[in-house]
């Protein structure tokens, strides 16, 4: 016991091991709580993992760069998980083909609404141009949105936060909102949450209904495609 | 398991190479998704493809494993909020309001379009 505890902390806090463990452990606890509350919308595991880890980083004076050194292994899997969406799409190809036209119509309207509404609202609220640009791709999955943000010379880290917040808000509101409006078609509900709230919405849809999850996954991947083409156009037309 | 994960990564890699090579403004993993879907569909038609991860539910199980905890994968990006505390103190309320209104509007517009379109098509298909 010649080493003092502080030097042990200095060593561990710089290693990827600690931050990867913190990420997985916090999420495992948040997910267990979500399961114990029967997947209550407000017990969203991403929301609670985010602030718990955030507070822990601030309390220990750890930089985000150090944290990301460990958490990048989880972040990397966003790409392969996008590819993996091919499997639910393949397994439900008959359901999908039967609804292909409503899906394409909803995709066109939904992706334009997502981009146009955020630009117009952000301008109405008087947010500075850099923030408006960073918020624009918020309805697509994190990796894709950060790429779009980079190509606009906006701030990809602010975009990532906007993406995650949008996903959480969509995941929390979708079930109460759809029940209130009286929509019982789980294909439509899933598709809407996939367009509005990407992977976090899709994860929520899979918790509620398998068909909803499949449609959310399809919507999310189609939206990633459409939004990356749509955002440069919207920025030219709508941003002052 | 390893072969299945390799196949998924290979699809992503091919997608990235395709997108970067041609300078297309779309994300590489989305092209990877299309590629894996084509492989799965082709396997049902051509027996010769039904080997390795494409047989016995290999790639299907690996994909289900990845998708089972999809929301975990967003945690590292979300924790990035600690870098934006100054901005959030200044504009946090406006940003939250903009995102919340936008997400509700998008949900309603999408779900309404889907239902109206499927009803119109059902009616059109019912007529002789």
């Amino acid at each position: 016991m010649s080493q003092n505890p502080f030097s042990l902390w200095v060593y561990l806090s710089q290693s990827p091991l600690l931050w990867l463990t913190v990420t997985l452990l916090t999420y495992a606890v948040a997910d267990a709580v979500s399961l114990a509350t029967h997947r209550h919308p407000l017990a969203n595991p991403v929301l609670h993992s985010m602030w718990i880890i955030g507070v822990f980083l601030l309390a220990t004076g750890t930089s985000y760069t150090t944290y990301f050194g460990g958490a990048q292994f989880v972040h990397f899997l966003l790409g392969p998980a996008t590819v993996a969406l091919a499997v639910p799409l393949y397994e439900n190809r008959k359901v999908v083909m039967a609804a292909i036209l409503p899906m394409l119509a909803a995709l066109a309207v939904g992706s334009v609404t997502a981009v146009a509404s955020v630009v117009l609202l952000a301008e109405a609220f008087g947010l500075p141009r850099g923030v408006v640009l960073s918020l624009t791709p918020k309805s697509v999955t994190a990796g894709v949105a950060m790429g779009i943000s980079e190509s606009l010379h906006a701030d990809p880290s602010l975009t990532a936060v906007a993406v995650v917040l949008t996903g959480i808000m969509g995941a929390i509101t979708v079930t109460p909102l759809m029940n209130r409006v009286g929509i019982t078609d789980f294909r439509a509900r899933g598709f809407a949450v996939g367009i509005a709230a990407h992977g976090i919405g899709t994860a929520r849809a899979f918790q509620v209904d398998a068909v909803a999850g499949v449609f959310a996954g399809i919507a999310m991947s189609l939206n990633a495609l459409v939004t990356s083409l749509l955002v440069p156009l919207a920025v030219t037309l709508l941003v002052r | 398991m390893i072969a299945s994960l390799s196949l998924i990564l290979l699809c992503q890699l091919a997608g990235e190479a395709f997108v970067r090579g041609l300078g297309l403004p779309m994300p590489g993993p989305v092209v990877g998704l299309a590629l894996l879907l084509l492989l799965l569909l082709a396997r049902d038609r051509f027996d010769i493809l039904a080997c390795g991860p494409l047989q016995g539910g290999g790639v299907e199980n690996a994909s289900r494993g990845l998708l089972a905890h999809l929301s975990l994968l967003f945690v590292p990006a979300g924790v990035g909020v600690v870098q934006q505390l100054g901005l959030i103190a200044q504009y946090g309320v406006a940003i939250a309001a903009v995102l919340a209104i936008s997400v509700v509007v998008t949900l309603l517009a999408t779900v309404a379009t889907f239902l109206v379109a499927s009803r119109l098509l059902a009616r059109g298909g019912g007529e002789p």
Side-chain angles (χ1 to χ4, degrees):
Chain A
M1 288 300 284
S2 59
Q3 278 196 324
N4 66 44
F6 183 70
S7 64
L8 178 65
W9 166 254
V10 168
Y11 168 72
L12 283 180
S13 68
Q14 294 304 316
S15 79
L17 171 67
L18 178 67
W19 301 113
L20 183 58
T21 313
V22 165
T23 306
L24 292 184
L25 193 65
T26 311
Y27 184 84
V29 172
D31 195 49
V33 171
S34 161
L35 198 61
T37 57
H38 306 287
R39 299 286 178 201
H40 190 279
L42 286 177
N44 185 287
V46 184
L47 173 65
H48 296 293
S49 305
M50 224 172 101
W51 72 259
I52 293 169
I53 298 171
V55 167
F56 188 58
L57 293 184
L58 292 175
T60 56
T62 308
S63 75
Y64 181 68
T65 316
T66 308
Y67 166 75
F68 199 76
Q72 62 175 323
F73 303 109
V74 173
H75 183 77
F76 168 77
L77 291 174
L78 277 170
T82 307
V83 177
L85 284 171
V87 167
L89 194 55
Y90 165 79
E91 286 174 338
N92 293 278
R93 57 194 180 281
K94 290 207 176 76
V95 190
V96 172
M97 286 315 290
I100 191 82
L101 287 173
M103 272 169 38
L104 291 179
L107 169 69
V109 173
S111 53
V112 171
T113 310
V115 173
S117 66
V118 78
V119 172
L120 295 175
L121 283 163
E123 299 226 305
F125 276 79
L127 293 171
R129 186 185 154 85
V131 177
V132 176
L133 291 180
S134 306
L135 296 186
T136 309
K138 51 84 195 172
S139 276
V140 290
T141 188
V144 176
M146 288 165 83
I148 296 175
S149 182
E150 248 164 54
S151 68
L152 297 176
H153 306 291
D155 178 357
S157 63
L158 179 58
T159 300
V161 172
V163 166
V164 176
L165 287 179
T166 298
I168 292 170
M169 286 171 176
I172 290 176
T173 42
V174 63
T175 307
L177 181 71
M178 296 299 168
N179 287 343
R180 177 72 60 90
V181 187
I183 286 153
T184 49
D185 185 339
F186 276 99
R187 299 173 311 164
R189 289 171 65 134
F191 200 82
V193 80
I195 293 281
H198 55 83
I200 301 179
T202 301
R204 172 68 189 163
F206 270 116
Q207 288 171 358
V208 175
D209 184 273
V211 171
V214 169
F215 275 80
I218 299 160
M220 162 183 163
S221 38
L222 292 176
N223 195 26
L225 206 64
V226 173
T227 301
S228 45
L229 303 171
L230 196 63
V231 165
L233 186 69
V235 166
T236 322
L237 292 178
L238 298 174
V239 179
R240 278 166 302 174
Chain B
M1 186 66 187
I2 300 294
S4 304
L5 282 177
S6 307
L7 180 64
I8 292 171
L9 288 179
L10 209 57
C11 287
Q12 190 185 351
L13 189 64
E16 293 285 4
F18 179 78
V19 167
R20 300 274 160 177
L22 296 180
L24 299 174
M26 61 167 80
V30 175
V31 177
L33 186 168
L35 202 59
L36 181 57
L37 182 63
L38 286 178
L39 273 176
L40 287 167
L41 291 171
R43 173 195 64 184
D44 293 345
R45 185 149 306 176
F46 308 106
D47 289 341
I48 193 164
L49 278 170
C51 59
L54 284 169
Q55 63 171 7
V59 74
E60 283 93 335
N61 289 331
S63 298
R64 267 190 287 272
L66 268 173
L67 292 175
H69 295 287
L70 187 57
S71 52
L72 162 69
L73 313 184
F74 289 88
V75 171
V79 175
V81 75
V82 296
Q83 287 181 303
Q84 309 286 349
L85 293 179
L87 201 66
I88 284 174
Q90 206 176 351
Y91 301 113
V93 177
I95 292 178
V98 166
L99 295 178
I101 300 170
S102 173
V103 88
V104 170
V105 170
T106 308
L107 280 172
L108 292 175
T110 312
V111 87
T113 310
F114 191 103
L115 290 176
V116 168
S118 62
R119 245 164 244 173
L120 283 178
L121 286 168
R123 194 176 303 162
E127 279 163 8

